[in-house]
Amino acid sequence: MFMGASTKEGHEIAVKSREIVRSLISEQIKHLKPDEQAVVERIVHSTADPEYAELTKISENFLEESLKSIKGNGDILTDIKMVKVGITSYPGKVKCYIDHPLAYKIAREREITRAAAAMEVALKEGFHGMVVIGNSPTSLMKVIELQEQHPDRIRSVVGVPVGFVGAAESKKSLQETSIPYLITEGPKGGTPVAVAATNALINLSKE
């Protein structure tokens, strides 16, 4: 498996795509460590948007903590089901609680988003591992809040919510915490970015 390719033709396309990606962003990512470069390349490859080479910011300990969690088959928690479906070839558990009855109940009673409520449900259900957020700024803000209560449960966060309301602010807030993070600055992000980063980490864990 290379950048999502599982057949000979797919592998050839992936190799050519990676060559193109590297020619476009090599200068922007030359300061990164090799594993960090691989993650950013996967994001650019998956989005066909070289701007992510500039927008993607990775904390010093993100790769180390994420790979430890993945190699130990720690849980991966996603904000929405679309992100969960996109995460492939992981032997551990990929969880999403947005449709959990308790998430509906908490969201209704407190008048918060269901995505944010789902993060609370996950911690109540014993979640321990990496969080991957591709869409919901409110769920990212909830993770930041929960990390203060459960500092040993959240190993790292891929925080790339997309949109013009709250996304940039939530990612900036994550950068101000001690949580190991990968974020994309500003309003850009979304499911393809979250999935690409996570699958890149899973591939790296197997090397």
Side-chain angles (χ1 to χ4, degrees):
M1 185 73 71
F2 174 71
M3 296 183 78
S6 57
T7 65
K8 182 177 182 294
E9 182 181 25
H11 187 271
E12 291 172 353
I13 292 170
V15 169
K16 182 62 176 177
S17 294
R18 190 169 198 176
E19 291 173 357
I20 294 170
V21 167
R22 285 182 169 173
S23 72
L24 292 172
I25 67 172
S26 58
E27 282 301 306
Q28 293 95 318
I29 65 172
K30 64 182 182 181
H31 64 287
L32 299 177
K33 300 172 185 175
D35 283 354
E36 293 172 340
Q37 291 181 5
V39 173
V40 175
E41 286 174 1
R42 182 71 176 262
I43 291 171
V44 173
H45 172 262
S46 297
T47 60
D49 188 348
E51 188 179 4
Y52 279 111
E54 297 280 2
L55 297 179
T56 303
K57 305 299 178 184
I58 303 172
S59 69
E60 179 66 27
N61 54 347
F62 173 77
L63 262 292
E64 179 183 357
E65 292 301 320
S66 298
L67 291 175
K68 279 183 184 177
S69 182
I70 290 171
K71 288 178 180 178
N73 285 345
D75 297 336
I76 296 177
L77 173 64
T78 71
D79 57 337
I80 64 169
K81 291 187 289 185
M82 190 180 297
V83 175
K84 177 183 177 181
V85 169
I87 297 171
T88 56
S89 303
Y90 184 55
K93 295 180 179 179
V94 182
K95 300 180 177 180
C96 180
Y97 291 89
I98 197 163
D99 283 338
H100 193 286
L102 186 55
Y104 280 95
K105 183 175 185 291
I106 291 172
R108 184 173 59 251
E109 291 178 351
R110 297 194 205 160
E111 297 185 344
I112 63 175
T113 68
R114 194 153 45 95
M119 297 296 114
E120 288 195 21
V121 175
L123 271 294
K124 289 179 185 294
E125 293 289 317
F127 165 76
H128 189 285
M130 182 172 71
V131 181
V132 181
I133 295 173
N135 292 265
S136 169
T138 57
S139 65
L140 181 51
M141 293 304 296
K142 178 59 70 174
V143 166
I144 294 170
E145 175 190 326
L146 291 169
Q147 194 267 348
E148 295 179 359
Q149 303 168 25
H150 308 279
D152 298 327
R153 304 271 294 280
I154 298 169
R155 299 291 299 273
S156 65
V157 176
V158 174
V160 292
V162 61
F164 295 105
V165 180
E169 294 81 358
S170 67
K171 289 180 276 192
K172 185 172 178 59
S173 294
L174 178 60
Q175 285 184 288
E176 294 170 354
T177 72
S178 61
I179 305 171
Y181 66 80
L182 178 151
I183 62 107
T184 49
E185 292 181 320
K188 296 182 77 169
T191 295
V193 179
V195 167
T198 307
N199 284 335
L201 289 167
I202 293 169
N203 286 345
L204 286 171
S205 74
K206 297 175 182 178
E207 294 179 359

